Amino acid sequence: MSVQERKQRERAERERLIVATARELAEQQGWDAVTTRRLAERIEYSQPVLYSHFRGKREIIGAVALQGATELATAVRAATSAADGPRARVAALARAYLDFAARNPAVYDALFQLDGGLAYAQEDTPEPLKDAFAALLETLDEVSGDGVAPGLFTELFWAALHGLATLTRAGRLLPEDADPRVELLVDRLAMV
């Protein structure tokens, strides 16, 4: 291995460590606890080294969001591929999405609540974000209905899931009604 290759590998490892540490700290203590100073202390590198990878917290949030988008797409596809029939796939999608949001609140915030400097719904939207939306669209396309644009239907269904995830996490919805909510969403909105 050349010196250049080794340096590139070490740089990539440092970047992964920064993102993993930021994510861990955010999941434990919230995003307010994630500062470049605390990250530098935890990973045992100087702040200038951290800044050589990310210009600041906003870019770190963006990196966590991109990682989360990939994980969300994987979770949704795994859940829907194991389901039989359109209704079961839509219900599996909804549960996988809500489970992801509940298990990864800091990542979910990085994806959908915080400014990570990422473009959404634009030409320059990063590929992991496009793929996460595509994972939803793949299932919802088959139930969008005649005369309804599948992308628009997917946005509406996603918005409903986001509302459920956000309100549940804030303690505004009774946890014991989670399954009936999903069933109602699938039956009434997806009409399958």
Side-chain angles (χ1 to χ4, degrees), residues 34-112:
V34 179
T35 64
T36 53
R37 183 174 154 198
R38 286 183 87 183
L39 285 174
E41 288 171 2
R42 282 202 174 198
I43 64 172
E44 300 177 345
Y45 284 102
S46 68
Q47 282 182 291
V49 169
L50 195 136
Y51 282 117
S52 75
H53 291 273
F54 299 99
R55 287 186 296 223
K57 182 175 175 177
R58 182 178 186 219
E59 284 189 4
I60 294 168
I61 290 170
V64 170
L66 294 176
Q67 190 179 72
T70 299
E71 293 169 9
L72 176 59
T74 299
V76 165
R77 286 188 175 111
T80 57
S81 70
D84 187 30
R87 187 186 190 294
R89 281 190 289 280
V90 173
L93 177 151
R95 286 189 185 93
Y97 184 97
L98 295 171
D99 288 346
F100 179 87
R103 280 192 326 273
N104 306 284
V107 174
Y108 191 81
D109 284 349
L111 266 166
F112 302 120

Side-chain angles (χ1 to χ4, degrees), residues 90-147:
V90 173
L93 177 151
R95 286 189 185 93
Y97 184 97
L98 295 171
D99 288 346
F100 179 87
R103 280 192 326 273
N104 306 284
V107 174
Y108 191 81
D109 284 349
L111 266 166
F112 302 120
Q113 304 287 98
L114 301 174
D115 179 9
L118 303 173
Y120 285 78
Q122 317 241 340
E123 279 189 38
D124 61 339
T125 297
E127 203 52 46
L129 298 178
K130 288 179 182 179
D131 189 51
F133 186 79
L136 302 176
L137 180 64
E138 289 162 8
T139 294
L140 295 171
D141 181 26
E142 68 181 316
V143 299
S144 60
D146 293 336

